[in-house]
Amino acid sequence: MIIKNVGVIGCGLMGSGIVQVAAQAGFSVLFVEANDELVRRGLGRLRETLEGLVAKGKLDATAKDAALARIAGTPRLEDLKACDLVVEAMTENQPLKNETFAKLDRIAPPHAILATNTSSCNVTAMAAATRRPGQVLGLHFFNPVPLMKLVEVARTILTDEGVVTTATEWVRALGKTPIQTKDSTAFVVNRLLVPYLLDAVRLYESGLASLEDIDTAMKLGCGYPMGPFTLLDLVGLDTTTYVAEVMFEEFREPRYAPPPLLKRMVMAGHLGRKAGRGFYTYTK
Ligand code: CAA
């Protein structure tokens, strides 16, 4: 099967990154946002990002124009009727995702592959909400999408082998490196990363060291590109808490339980970089 037209549902942090890399790799991309205003903002952000790359000399103006010409946005899910592949990248909400997959199944052409960028929701439940469970799988990108090379290809017990192959080839066509995993809460990366981030919060809560020193310790002591608190702020404290809660619910292991400080920071609206404040404060 040849993928030409790609749909992306959601043009937030992850969705816009997926739109960008797909358009730069030569695919026609149509993204869906909740309303006209969010479509306008999504298009504006993509233009700004690509223009920024041209200004830095990382992309030539012709390639930028060609990528932008391949991107369109719509507030209507029904407009995804000509897509060969749709990647859902909405917020982490299982009932909403199941409902969206059921709708999408009635809209997308019969051959289309339906993928989810979820990091913690149940892919099998989304597949079961459609009449094409063999064509549903997880394609989990990492934040920031244009820079992170990995995509986890997550198959359910219902996914057809040919669909896994096509989706894996598409990931390679984006210039990313795929790894294969099963549909199990949090897949590979978050299974290891989330307990580490939660432990960092517990360490800080215990008063062992300052935020800055814990970050410096992991950067310089382990060669990690970012310390855990800088990374928590990048991923979003709300997203991390949600993923941790789903993992705790699934595995019932204390190491996945979000620590009290993390929950309270989310309640306080200190969600990380996107909110201007998380463990650190950000000015534009
Ligand atoms: N498209 C293409 N290039 C872009 C870009 C974009 N949208 N945005 C920035 N760039 C370019 C910049 O122009 C910059 O280039 P120059 O250095 O030539 O100017 C380059 O990318 C790197 O930018 P930074 O200076 O910001 O880069 P850095 O060296 O500080 O690295 C980082 C940034 C890649 C994010 C690195 O710090 C890192 O790898 N951090 C860890 C991130 C991580 O772990 N992510 C996974 C999170 S977990 C997750 O996502 C899963 C989940 O489900 C929750």
Side-chain angles (χ1 to χ4, degrees), residues 13-14 25 36 44 105 136 150 152 176 182 189 203 232 235:
L13 204 61
M14 299 301 287
D36 286 323
D105 183 41
V136 176
L150 184 73
E152 291 177 317
K176 303 286 184 199
K182 293 175 184 162
V189 171
L203 215 62
L232 275 158
V235 172

Side-chain angles (χ1 to χ4, degrees), residues 14 20 24 49 53 56 58 119 140-144 146-148 189-190 193 225-226 231 234-235 239 243:
M14 299 301 287
Q20 182 194 329
Q24 285 189 266
T49 301
L53 292 175
K56 277 186 165 183
K58 305 201 92 183
S119 46
H140 184 216
F141 291 77
F142 292 83
N143 181 17
L147 303 185
M148 303 307 284
V189 171
N190 281 332
L193 179 65
M226 283 178 168
L231 184 53
L234 175 74
V235 172
T239 304
V243 174

Side-chain angles (χ1 to χ4, degrees), residues 31-105:
F31 73 80
V32 182
E33 255 300 350
N35 54 50
D36 286 323
E37 174 56 20
L38 289 175
V39 168
R40 201 184 56 73
R41 268 198 245 164
L43 287 170
R45 214 173 28 243
L46 283 156
R47 173 176 294 279
E48 213 175 281
T49 301
L50 292 171
E51 283 173 352
L53 292 175
V54 173
K56 277 186 165 183
K58 305 201 92 183
L59 184 69
D60 69 57
T62 320
K64 180 239 345 170
D65 291 339
L68 285 173
R70 285 191 283 267
I71 300 174
T74 174
R76 289 171 299 275
L77 201 65
E78 294 73 28
D79 291 343
L80 297 178
K81 57 186 181 297
C83 290
D84 306 306
L85 165 72
V86 179
V87 184
E88 169 277 314
M90 303 185 302
T91 50
E92 293 290 83
N93 177 325
Q94 184 81 55
L96 181 66
K97 285 183 193 275
N98 295 350
E99 196 185 305
T100 303
F101 270 72
K103 279 189 199 156
L104 195 54
D105 183 41

Side-chain angles (χ1 to χ4, degrees), residues 185-217:
T185 302
F187 312 130
V188 174
V189 171
N190 281 332
R191 253 322 239 287
L192 296 171
L193 179 65
V194 171
Y196 155 71
L197 294 176
L198 301 180
D199 271 347
V201 178
R202 289 185 192 106
L203 215 62
Y204 173 58
E205 265 182 321
S206 78
L208 183 76
S210 68
L211 289 178
E212 293 81 1
D213 280 355
I214 297 172
D215 269 357
T216 302

